[in-house]
Amino acid sequence: MSGLSATLYTAGAALRAHQLGVQTAGANVANAATPGYSARQVILAANPQNGALSGVTVVSVSRKDEPFLRASSIRANVQNGYASARADLLSQMEGVLAPVDGSRVEHALESFFSSASALASDPSSVAARQTVLTQARAIAVAFNSTAADISALSSQVDARLSSATTHASDLARQLAELNQRVGSSAPSPDQPSSLLDERDRVAKELAGIVGGDVLTDKDGNVNIIALGTSIVAGKEALSLSTARNATSGKLDVVVTGYGKESAVVTARATQGEIGGLISVRDRDLMAQTNALDALAFDVQTAVNGVHQAGVGLDGASGRALFAGASSKAGAAAALRVDPTTAQSPRYVTAASSATTLPGDNRAALALAALYTQPAASSGTATFAEAERSRAGSVASAAQNANTDRDDAVAQSDLTASLLSSATGVSTDEEMIQLAQFQRAYQASAKVIATVNEMLDTLVKL
Amino acid sequence: MRTTDLDAASTRLRLLEQARARVDRAQTVAASGLKNVKGSDDPAWLELNSRTRSDGLMNDRSRKSLAAASTRLEATESALSSVSDLFARLQEIAVQGGTDTYAANDRRVLANEVRSLKSQALAAANAQSNGQFIFGGFRTNSPPFDASGNFLGDNNVMQVDAGSGKTAAAGIDSTSVFTPAGGVAIFSVFDAVATALDTNDGPAIRASLDSVQKSIEQVVDGRGAVGDAMNLVQRFSDWLDDSDLRLSAARAASVDADPLSAYTDLAQASNALDAALKTAAQATKLSLIDYL
């Protein structure tokens, strides 16, 4: 083909190419605020079939992509999922278990031993004994309610774990479906860009929850290896769920295979949101439970030791002030005032001998002195020091978690920003593209009009 | 670097969140008067805050105990002072009645006064503080001396909590003041003098002066012991005052917020938020669309 017809053909092809350019810019502008959207770009090339006077042809409408940055962004999201889950929960834990103005247990201990000191100043007073009894109840309530708070936090973690595994299971299924749809989409100059965007978004979100590695296989499938297994392998996805552990009473993470076989993978959940949740529940909250139980048991043992050696106003000895667990396990939740002693304030001991009633205050003094003695943590700390150590450990863990979260968020933001910079939509850029394609379209139309006039001239000869 | 719309929006949002969080924090610090908002800001600070607060409370608790001890010791001193005055009068009577110029009738009058003195001394020895008998040792609920002056209490000395595991005496061993454990049973001295006066026995009256003197010395020693105990209570109280000062200094240095810094930080944070809002609004307006 040559001459005016060839020119008309070239201009027509250019009209189509530039129209596609405008259409692509329009799609990009429309998705400027869509998370995970990668900008499309029209790849034009000179048409080699026309020899020296080549026209233009659309090679492809491609999706901008940077695999390295995308992989970095996913890795950062894995870390972010883990660190954010820990920071969120530890922040809540800190508010409940390590308040700035001192914990309930610390306040209760202070008040109890102050009441013992007051009883020592007025050992014949029934009212002072009643105060000791009341403050002993306050100690029990403080330990009980703090243990309940830890239990509630653990339940909250389980609820989030259940929700996260359900969501992860949905995402895994979606990812497998997207692998299938991407693989089966009809070949075209354009890639199945929307499906790829969606698949990348789903893969990133899923990795943020379960952790692990996101790998692309030779067939172009995006697979996820996490929790010690292939959560998504091509067009297949494992199912994730939770099940109550009969021994611990906590939720386990369970994966169900393609053949419906199930496996508990809780111990392998060390990354992503699920890893963060489990680490808080099984490490931080467990440490808090153990520390609180140990302190409750130490208080119970030491106070009872002094109280049982003393004598009440009725002249009887051997009564415990606290009742509860016989070992450290569960001591905080079980602590209560001994039901017998609770019957009368006269049973609270202040004297060390029945023959020296009622002014003998030696037992009350010994009780008050317990507060300053290393009676906790195997004789290495006072009760207050042990409680402050417990609260301090929450604060330290929260501080570390906040630092890790800040680092992870910064890394996640940086990689997201780099990826966005490489593949995202800039409306300024699209406006320039739009103007460029519009002008080119107008110019091609002008070529057609000019050729048309030339043909008119030719016909009229 | 190429900046996309999403990235620009995300950056604006992040900067605004940071600026607002800074204002919230500065506001909380200024309102609470504490250097930090939560323990994770500085776990060591959390421990210091808790310890200094608790130590202050424990000082208050010890101060109450020491105040109770002080009240009891003042009552003890007051009672012994009365006993001391009574023995001074007894000594005067013994000296006066011991002179041979005194007739039997005059001595009988003096004997009646001595019996009155003994009654007053017994009342002083059965003194109470806060409803407790102060000379009965641990037997605080009944009078330690019967009408004849026989001791019914014990030699225990009540101690009170003085803080940091220490104790302070809230009384004295009354047996060393009133009973033969101290040398002389002082109420029997009244009886001996009264009997000698009643029987118009000049040598016996003069001989009783030695017991009177020993009784006076016992009471003086008892008052000395009370003085020592009061001094100890005072020293513990002074130590608590010093401890409170140290705690206040420690809190001011490391726990409490510096008001000037707190309000300056709040002003700076507010200005930063204002600037962040203005720049975000300005940046949002800038687009090539408006110029095409």
Side-chain angles (χ1 to χ4, degrees):
Chain A
M1 203 187 305
S2 61
L4 291 177
S5 296
T7 307
L8 270 178
Y9 176 79
T10 302
L15 277 180
R16 284 192 296 278
H18 297 132
Q19 186 185 350
L20 188 59
V22 170
Q23 195 180 339
T24 304
N28 285 343
V29 169
N31 285 289
T34 304
Y37 178 82
S38 294
R40 313 315 192 225
Q41 56 185 351
V42 178
I43 308 296
L44 300 178
N47 191 340
Q49 292 175 353
N50 286 354
L53 297 174
S54 60
V56 67
T57 185
V58 176
V59 177
S60 68
V61 178
S62 69
R63 169 178 175 265
K64 288 186 175 177
D65 196 14
E66 284 290 342
F68 171 75
L69 288 176
R70 202 171 290 285
S72 298
S73 178
I74 288 173
R75 280 196 299 274
N77 204 43
V78 169
Q79 188 58 31
N80 192 9
Y82 178 84
S84 292
R86 278 188 59 78
D88 288 351
L89 287 169
L90 283 164
S91 180
Q92 288 182 40
M93 274 176 65
E94 184 186 6
V96 175
L97 301 175
V100 167
D101 54 355
S103 70
R104 268 168 294 177
V105 168
E106 188 180 356
H107 287 300
L109 289 169
E110 286 163 357
S111 299
F112 172 76
F113 287 105
S114 290
S115 72
S117 176
L119 175 60
S121 295
D122 192 4
S124 60
S125 167
V126 174
R129 284 175 158 76
Q130 181 62 59
T131 305
V132 170
L133 210 48
T134 303
Q135 295 304 334
R137 283 195 191 97
I139 282 186
V141 168
F143 275 110
N144 299 161
S145 60
T146 306
D149 284 341
I150 293 173
S151 180
L153 283 165
S154 187
S155 297
Q156 186 186 332
V157 174
D158 275 350
R160 277 189 64 173
L161 194 59
S162 176
S163 168
T165 49
T166 303
H167 189 40
S169 201
D170 287 345
L171 289 171
R173 185 180 42 75
Q174 284 179 40
L175 187 56
E177 285 173 7
L178 284 164
N179 276 337
Q180 182 164 18
R181 289 172 65 189
V182 169
S184 62
S185 60
S188 72
D190 301 341
Q191 295 169 301
S193 301
S194 298
L195 293 178
L196 293 176
D197 282 348
E198 181 64 3
R199 189 172 69 173
D200 287 341
R201 186 194 66 75
V202 169
K204 183 178 179 180
E205 190 176 349
L206 179 55
I209 297 173
V210 298
D213 294 312
V214 178
L215 305 171
T216 304
D217 65 18
K218 61 183 172 52
D219 298 326
N221 293 314
V222 172
N223 301 325
I224 293 205
I225 316 279
L227 304 172
T229 184
S230 290
I231 299 294
V232 177
K235 298 164 188 62
E236 302 283 352
L238 296 179
S239 169
L240 281 86
S241 60
T242 53
R244 185 75 58 190
N245 186 303
T247 307
S248 68
K250 297 172 184 172
L251 288 184
D252 273 329
V253 178
V254 177
V255 292
T256 305
Y258 317 122
K260 302 298 179 190
E261 68 281 9
S262 293
V264 173
V265 293
T266 310
R268 298 182 204 154
T270 57
Q271 293 183 324
E273 183 186 355
I274 289 178
L277 293 171
I278 289 173
S279 77
V280 169
R281 187 192 66 184
D282 294 350
R283 199 172 69 204
D284 301 281
L285 280 172
M286 186 57 73
Q288 286 299 302
T289 299
N290 291 341
L292 194 72
D293 281 343
L295 180 58
F297 191 69
D298 286 342
V299 169
Q300 177 185 329
T301 306
V303 169
N304 281 348
V306 172
H307 198 268
Q308 284 171 325
V311 176
L313 265 184
D314 62 339
S317 65
R319 293 193 188 101
L321 183 56
F322 288 115
S326 55
S327 67
K328 288 182 180 178
L335 191 69
R336 65 189 190 281
V337 172
D338 184 88
T340 304
T341 307
Q343 289 172 6
S344 169
R346 296 174 63 82
Y347 297 163
V348 172
T349 63
S352 61
S353 167
T355 61
T356 48
L357 289 169
D360 184 355
N361 67 350
R362 287 173 290 189
L365 272 179
L367 201 56
L370 272 180
Y371 189 71
T372 56
Q373 292 170 359
S377 308
S378 305
T380 60
T382 65
F383 296 137
E385 285 167 350
E387 174 60 4
R388 281 182 213 128
S389 173
R390 184 201 59 73
S393 68
V394 179
S396 290
Q399 185 188 41
N400 290 337
N402 287 341
T403 304
D404 290 346
R405 191 257 320 270
D406 292 347
D407 289 348
V409 166
Q411 186 63 25
S412 182
D413 286 348
L414 177 64
T415 54
S417 176
L418 289 171
L419 183 62
S420 174
S421 175
T423 66
V425 175
S426 162
T427 49
D428 289 343
E429 197 175 275
E430 297 303 327
M431 287 301 102
I432 290 167
Q433 292 276 324
L434 195 63
Q436 192 181 350
F437 283 122
Q438 184 187 8
R439 289 296 178 194
Y441 186 90
Q442 286 171 339
S444 298
K446 185 67 179 172
V447 169
I448 290 172
T450 303
V451 171
N452 192 38
E453 284 174 17
M454 290 171 71
L455 285 172
D456 268 354
T457 304
L458 200 61
V459 168
K460 288 173 183 171
L461 279 178
Chain B
M1 195 172 91
R2 184 169 169 268
T3 302
T4 62
D5 289 38
L6 263 180
D7 194 31
S10 159
T11 302
R12 280 195 292 275
L13 187 62
R14 190 168 62 248
L15 291 174
L16 280 175
E17 283 173 349
Q18 287 170 353
R20 207 172 282 285
R22 195 179 154 198
V23 170
D24 284 348
R25 180 186 160 77
Q27 207 167 14
T28 307
V29 167
S32 70
L34 293 172
K35 189 176 272 184
N36 290 304
V37 174
K38 51 190 189 302
S40 57
D41 292 340
D42 182 356
W45 169 87
L46 178 71
E47 195 274 339
L48 185 63
N49 179 33
S50 179
R51 182 161 51 78
T52 50
R53 182 195 56 77
S54 178
D55 285 353
L57 282 176
M58 290 304 105
N59 283 353
D60 289 344
R61 150 189 140 177
S62 300
R63 200 171 273 111
K64 283 179 187 168
S65 297
L66 290 172
S70 186
T71 302
R72 203 164 185 273
L73 287 168
E74 282 168 9
T76 307
E77 161 57 20
S78 174
L80 288 181
S81 173
S82 298
V83 173
S84 185
D85 291 345
L86 294 169
F87 267 101
R89 177 59 189 149
L90 179 66
Q91 192 174 38
E92 284 174 13
I93 289 172
V95 170
Q96 192 180 350
T99 59
D100 289 334
T101 55
Y102 256 65
N105 275 348
D106 296 334
R107 282 178 170 159
R108 271 196 294 278
V109 171
L110 289 175
N112 287 338
E113 186 179 348
V114 168
R115 279 188 281 274
S116 169
L117 291 177
K118 180 188 177 185
S119 172
Q120 291 174 55
L122 277 171
N126 285 331
Q128 290 176 282
S129 173
N130 193 28
Q132 297 178 349
F133 292 94
I134 54 182
F135 290 112
F138 284 159
R139 296 192 179 179
T140 56
N141 59 339
S142 58
F145 296 96
D146 64 15
S148 303
N150 296 314
F151 185 60
L152 307 173
D154 59 45
N155 63 349
N156 289 300
V157 177
M158 179 187 275
Q159 304 283 324
V160 296
D161 174 26
S164 303
K166 296 182 177 63
T167 57
I172 58 169
D173 173 6
S174 55
T175 60
S176 64
V177 176
F178 295 105
T179 74
V184 177
I186 66 173
F187 293 112
S188 64
V189 174
F190 285 102
D191 295 334
V193 173
T195 304
L197 286 167
D198 268 337
T199 55
N200 197 24
D201 185 350
I205 296 170
R206 286 190 290 277
S208 70
L209 276 170
D210 186 46
S211 298
V212 171
Q213 182 58 35
K214 284 180 180 168
S215 299
I216 288 172
E217 286 169 3
Q218 275 181 216
V219 175
V220 167
D221 287 347
R223 293 181 71 183
V226 172
D228 289 344
M230 290 179 86
N231 280 339
L232 188 60
V233 166
Q234 187 57 50
R235 277 207 297 279
F236 277 129
S237 297
D238 292 345
W239 183 87
L240 290 176
D241 290 343
D242 289 345
S243 172
D244 277 348
L245 279 176
R246 285 194 299 275
L247 287 173
S248 296
R251 288 192 68 86
S254 307
V255 176
D256 296 336
D258 171 34
L260 190 61
S261 298
Y263 289 113
T264 306
D265 286 348
L266 180 57
Q268 284 178 342
S270 301
N271 289 339
L273 176 59
D274 186 49
L277 288 167
K278 282 177 179 162
T279 52
Q282 190 65 27
T284 310
K285 288 178 191 167
L286 294 174
S287 171
L288 187 59
I289 298 166
D290 298 325
Y291 299 93
L292 287 174

